[in-house]
Amino acid sequence: MGKQMTEMLKGTLEGIVLALLTDRPAYGYEITTQLRERGFTDLAEGTVYALLVRIEQRGLVDVEKVPSEKGPPRKVYSLNTSGTTELNEFWTTWSFISDRIEELRKKGH
C-alpha cells in the first residue's frame, strides 16, 4: 500500500467501517474480509481490530458476544444511533472535501 493511501485511510477508515456496518452487524474478521473485497487488500487485520476497539470505546457501535464453532465467542458489532450520527457527519465531511478536490483536479491543479 502506498504512503498516500496509508495516510488517507487514517482519516477515513472509521467512516468506511461504520458504513459497512449499515448493511448488517459483523465481527472483526468479516469486516476485514469485506474491506479486502472492496480493494483494501493490504489492510492489516490488526488495524481493523484496533479501530473496532476505538469505536466501541467511543460508543459508536453496540457489541454482542456470539458463540463460535471455531473458538472463543465472537464480538459482533452493530451500528447504533451514535454511530449513525457519526457516519452522517462523515459523509457530509467526505462530500465537502471530495467536491473541493474534484474542483481542483478539473482545473488542472
Side-chain angles (χ1 to χ4, degrees), residues 85-103:
T85 300
E86 184 75 14
L87 179 59
N88 289 336
E89 289 177 24
F90 170 79
W91 286 131
T92 299
T93 304
W94 175 260
S95 293
F96 175 82
I97 291 171
S98 64
D99 289 350
R100 302 296 89 72
I101 291 172
E102 186 63 20
E103 285 174 13

Side-chain angles (χ1 to χ4, degrees), residues 36-102:
R36 289 182 176 155
E37 288 172 354
R38 286 172 168 78
F40 301 104
T41 55
D42 293 338
L43 195 60
E45 200 169 325
T47 301
V48 175
Y49 283 101
L51 184 143
L52 291 171
V53 169
R54 284 195 309 273
I55 65 174
E56 179 182 358
Q57 289 173 341
R58 292 180 55 210
L60 302 178
V61 291
D62 292 330
V63 179
E64 179 182 2
K65 287 192 174 183
V66 176
S68 170
E69 296 174 4
K70 297 180 179 178
R74 292 178 172 155
K75 291 175 86 173
V76 176
Y77 300 86
S78 59
L79 199 62
N80 61 24
T81 303
S82 295
T84 300
T85 300
E86 184 75 14
L87 179 59
N88 289 336
E89 289 177 24
F90 170 79
W91 286 131
T92 299
T93 304
W94 175 260
S95 293
F96 175 82
I97 291 171
S98 64
D99 289 350
R100 302 296 89 72
I101 291 172
E102 186 63 20

